[in-house]
Amino acid sequence: MIKENLNAVRENIRLAAEEAGRDPGDVTLIAVSKTKPVSMIEEAYACGCLDFGENRVQELCEKYEVLPKDIRWHLIGHLQRNKVKYVVDKAYLIHSVDSLKLAQEIQKEAEKKQVDVNILIEVNMADEESKFGVSAKEAEDLVREAAKLPNIHIQGLMTIAPIVEKPEDNAVHFANLKQLSVDIKRKNIDNVNMNVLSMGMTGDYGQAVKDGATYVRVGTGIFGER
Ligand SMILES: *Cc1c(COP(=O)(O)O)cnc(C)c1O
């Protein structure tokens, strides 16, 4: 089942990219494996999947210990400051940095462990009360401050779009995130890349690809309902 699902998702990504005149190779699929057992991750890994997303630090660390070391672990969920120390040397990319205090904590632990940490700034594009992330207006300020931390490397932006019935309804948020990243890139801030756009989930990843996503985060569409 996982193999068929992966093939279907990959095909949808390819079609959406082509429709938008983009190279499908510029879009990386993150298989969101939260709550799912190691055996299912191994199955996806056997199908060539190397990028996996988890939203809890403890679960990421447990899976990290027992799975192949060439897996790239993406921390996509809200990160509490007291958990940073467990994950800085295990996450390939932290998608959910939304405050300077969190960035400073990552810096502190990264320095202790002498590692560099790649991060994205999470932006709450639809200003939803229930969601983490800085507002679009605050994003550039946070980028500027976090960029001063030597062990942190900002690679781009991430958003969790609202739950909608039609994927097109999120096009405005995806397009706005893309525009925000273009605007920030133009400022040429030291130690800041704006090459990564992490957006799109099972319900709307095709739309996100059309609007410029470089990472899509798909859980249900690969592993089934949680
Ligand atoms: C769970 C989760 C996903 C995947 O959601 P699906 O709808 O199952 O594809 C993507 N991004 C984040 C941040 C998540 O927490």
Side-chain angles (χ1 to χ4, degrees):
M1 203 51 199
I2 288 176
K3 187 178 182 177
E4 286 77 13
N5 289 345
L6 264 175
N7 284 341
V9 172
R10 285 170 173 155
E11 179 64 6
N12 289 336
I13 291 171
R14 192 181 67 75
L15 290 171
E18 279 174 5
E19 200 176 310
R22 301 185 59 207
D23 179 353
D26 291 343
V27 184
T28 302
L29 171 61
I30 299 174
V32 177
S33 48
K34 63 189 187 198
T35 78
K36 298 297 180 183
V38 163
S39 59
M40 289 179 94
I41 299 177
E42 286 170 330
E43 212 178 319
Y45 179 82
C47 300
C49 216
L50 287 179
D51 292 271
F52 292 90
E54 291 286 337
N55 66 345
R56 288 168 166 275
V57 168
Q58 191 183 338
E59 195 174 340
L60 188 156
C61 292
E62 284 168 10
K63 289 171 173 172
Y64 175 94
E65 287 308 324
V66 299
L67 282 156
K69 287 294 170 276
D70 60 344
I71 285 181
R72 298 184 285 256
W73 292 102
H74 296 260
L75 186 69
I76 60 177
H78 178 63
L79 176 56
Q80 287 171 303
R81 275 181 280 157
N82 61 356
K83 303 276 174 65
V84 167
K85 56 179 174 285
Y86 305 113
V87 81
V88 279
D89 55 344
K90 299 186 182 70
Y92 172 78
L93 182 63
I94 298 175
H95 291 231
S96 48
V97 176
D98 64 355
S99 73
L100 185 58
K101 277 191 164 159
L102 175 57
Q104 285 166 335
E105 183 67 20
I106 295 172
Q107 169 60 31
K108 190 179 108 197
E109 295 300 328
E111 205 173 314
K112 268 192 210 163
K113 292 199 165 66
Q114 304 219 340
V115 292
D116 286 308
V117 184
N118 290 315
I119 67 161
L120 304 179
I121 300 298
E122 179 174 352
V123 189
N124 183 357
M125 292 307 293
D127 285 322
E128 289 177 283
E129 291 255 347
S130 59
K131 295 242 165 88
F132 293 102
V134 289
S135 70
K137 257 172 60 190
E138 298 163 327
E140 185 181 327
D141 281 346
L142 178 54
V143 167
R144 284 188 185 280
E145 290 307 311
K148 295 174 186 163
L149 303 167
N151 292 59
I152 285 184
H153 305 292
I154 301 171
Q155 302 297 337
L157 305 177
M158 176 271 216
T159 198
I160 303 175
I163 296 167
V164 289
E165 273 183 25
K166 292 177 280 140
E168 305 85 75
D169 294 344
N170 275 333
V172 59
H173 302 306
F174 296 147
N176 286 344
L177 190 71
K178 168 78 189 181
Q179 188 57 49
L180 184 60
S181 84
V182 169
D183 291 343
I184 294 174
K185 193 187 183 97
R186 226 180 257 141
K187 309 276 166 84
N188 284 319
I189 304 164
D190 270 357
N191 190 25
V192 174
N193 268 312
M194 277 287 138
N195 299 330
V196 171
L197 272 188
S198 169
M199 57 190 195
M201 311 181 11
T202 295
D204 55 18
Y205 64 89
Q207 184 64 48
V209 168
K210 286 181 197 165
D211 292 317
T214 65
Y215 280 118
V216 291
R217 311 178 305 262
V218 179
T220 312
I222 296 170
F223 298 111
E225 294 290 337
R226 284 181 295 272

